[in-house]
Amino acid sequence: EADIYQTPRYLVIGTGKKITLECSQTMGHDKMYWYQQDPGMELHLIHYSYGVNSTEKGDLSSESTVSRIRTEHFPLTLESARPSHTSQYLCASSESELNTEAFFGQGTRLTVV
Amino acid sequence: GQQLNQSPQSMFIQEGEDVSMNCTSSSIFNTWLWYKQDPGEGPVLLIALYKAGELTSNGRLTAQFGITRKDSFLNISASIPSDVGIYFCAGPPTGQGAQKLVFGQGTRLTINP
């Protein structure tokens, strides 16, 4: 069983609020990812990280930002939430470039009203 | 970006039937991963394939890495109700962007008891 955790599981928040979605893994994985997924749809990569102090934008443009100050922690922040940000956000991690098997957290379902 | 195309998009079958689904790409992949996602949860890794022609089983699931390295297949034998969910293929594209995982659109499996 993968040791990667996301909090909160569910979040309902008003427009304009700043939010941070937490993601932590205890496996010592270098690579971490954030995906955005609408219900029943495909996963879109919005951010990824090779390791500490490394972050890259993914394929889908996102107004969110990420940081990687510690190996185990990869939080995602929205400075000003909007209804268009309503979605499920999934965090994942993988060991290295040679081992690309990614393990996912349970996700955060965000609703912006 | 590089895309993975899954088919069929959805399947409606009777309990006990076998299931086949596939994933294709216009470019070469060196790794193919198959995930299953239950509603409201993160994807769970089912099978990982690392070598062209490789055939790997995990219980009633069997997956194959296509010889051309541009496709992969997942089969489920004797389906049961808990097989219901969305199945995604994924992989790191070769060359630029090899650090990140891309996902197919998913195959939604529904089982009639």
Side-chain angles (χ1 to χ4, degrees):
Chain A
E1 190 169 325
D3 294 320
I4 180 165
Y5 307 100
Q6 290 185 242
T7 57
R9 284 291 310 273
Y10 305 93
L11 179 62
V12 181
I13 200 162
T15 298
K17 299 291 186 182
K18 177 181 178 178
I19 59 170
T20 296
L21 308 185
E22 302 288 349
C23 177
S24 295
Q25 50 97 4
T26 59
M27 297 172 282
H29 286 172
D30 288 326
K31 292 162 66 175
M32 295 190 75
Y33 313 83
W34 276 103
Y35 288 85
Q36 184 174 341
Q37 182 188 33
D38 291 328
M41 304 298 286
E42 62 191 290
L43 284 73
H44 294 286
L45 181 68
I46 52 175
H47 298 282
Y48 61 105
S49 168
Y50 304 134
V52 171
N53 294 325
S54 153
T55 60
E56 300 286 343
K57 294 275 188 187
D59 298 320
L60 181 68
S61 176
S62 174
E63 294 168 341
S64 59
T65 59
V66 293
S67 62
R68 190 86 183 276
I69 299 173
R70 304 198 313 267
T71 297
E72 63 270 21
H73 197 212
F74 191 39
L76 180 146
T77 298
L78 275 166
E79 291 292 334
S80 180
R82 295 207 299 268
S84 61
H85 296 140
T86 294
S87 190
Q88 170 148 287
Y89 293 84
L90 291 160
C91 179
S93 71
S94 62
E95 184 176 340
S96 67
E97 183 173 348
L98 294 179
N99 182 351
T100 55
E101 297 173 22
F103 298 93
F104 282 83
Q106 290 181 297
T108 294
R109 182 169 297 282
L110 173 66
T111 303
V112 184
V113 298
Chain B
Q2 291 164 305
Q3 288 186 312
L4 295 177
N5 297 307
Q6 285 188 245
S7 67
Q9 291 188 355
S10 60
M11 303 182 72
F12 299 85
I13 64 169
Q14 296 294 124
E15 184 177 350
E17 288 185 20
D18 295 342
V19 173
S20 291
M21 61 188 78
N22 69 75
C23 186
T24 61
S25 173
S26 58
S27 56
I28 289 173
F29 278 68
N30 289 324
T31 299
W32 288 94
L33 306 173
W34 284 94
Y35 288 85
K36 176 177 182 278
Q37 186 178 29
D38 292 327
E41 300 291 330
V44 174
L45 182 65
L46 299 173
I47 292 178
L49 301 162
Y50 289 99
K51 188 176 177 182
E54 179 182 356
L55 186 71
T56 298
S57 294
N58 178 6
R60 293 178 296 105
L61 278 62
T62 301
Q64 184 162 23
F65 193 138
I67 291 292
T68 65
R69 294 164 64 195
K70 293 183 177 181
D71 57 9
S72 179
F73 303 87
L74 176 69
N75 296 315
I76 305 172
S77 63
S79 58
I80 60 177
S82 62
D83 291 334
V84 166
I86 303 178
Y87 292 81
F88 291 98
C89 62
T94 54
Q96 191 176 20
Q99 295 286 341
K100 54 187 180 181
L101 277 179
V102 294
F103 281 75
Q105 311 98 314
T107 293
R108 182 185 296 275
L109 179 62
T110 303
I111 297 176
N112 299 315

